[in-house]
Amino acid sequence: MSTRLRGRYEKIGQIIEKLVEESKKGIPILVEGKKDVYTLKQIGIEGKIITVKTGGKNFSDVISEIQTLDAPSVILFLDFDRRGIEGTRNLATELERLHIKANIWFWRKLGGLINRDVQYVESIPNYLETLKNKITTQTRNYSL
């Protein structure tokens, strides 16, 4: 069990590292709210982060904001709940229509690893800490 958890923990870490790299290249990341922005900054994202659901923004406002950035692509990193899934689909469709690449690779890969354990981006650091603690506890138990 510990090996499986360790593998998941490491894969999540690799995905986050790649996300940090893409952000450093100047690719904007779209998230739902302020807590998500804080979370991404907490895990090392330094680039442009755009919120979808703050400041009274509507769908058109978000699309306009993305267009003004003149970026050839954006990373969609919304929550993993029903609303996040719908928002990701809608944004991806509209951005592709405008010839802006909507990168959902990170969202899909991370979503596949966290299964149903995490629904919100802001819960990722706590989930990683829980995984780390489980790995440590199991490692200790095996060495006894």
Side-chain angles (χ1 to χ4, degrees), residues 27-46:
I27 299 173
I29 301 172
L30 270 71
V31 296
E32 288 189 31
K34 291 178 184 179
K35 290 180 184 177
D36 299 331
V37 172
Y38 175 77
T39 297
L40 291 188
K41 290 187 181 295
Q42 187 180 7
I43 61 175
I45 303 295
E46 298 172 0

Side-chain angles (χ1 to χ4, degrees), residues 53-111:
K53 292 185 178 180
T54 57
K57 291 182 191 175
N58 63 34
F59 190 77
S60 297
D61 294 336
V62 173
I63 296 298
S64 294
E65 184 176 352
I66 295 166
Q67 286 179 300
T68 61
L69 295 175
D70 202 30
S73 68
V74 294
I75 296 170
L76 300 182
F77 205 68
L78 278 61
D79 290 339
F80 306 99
D81 61 353
R82 183 184 54 77
R83 287 178 66 185
I85 292 167
E86 289 173 10
T88 298
R89 285 185 189 143
N90 293 338
L91 282 168
T93 300
E94 183 62 19
L95 291 169
E96 294 292 339
R97 189 182 70 72
L98 296 168
H99 305 289
I100 300 170
K101 181 177 178 356
N103 181 338
I104 60 171
W105 183 87
F106 296 96
W107 182 76
R108 278 190 177 154
K109 286 292 187 184
L110 195 58

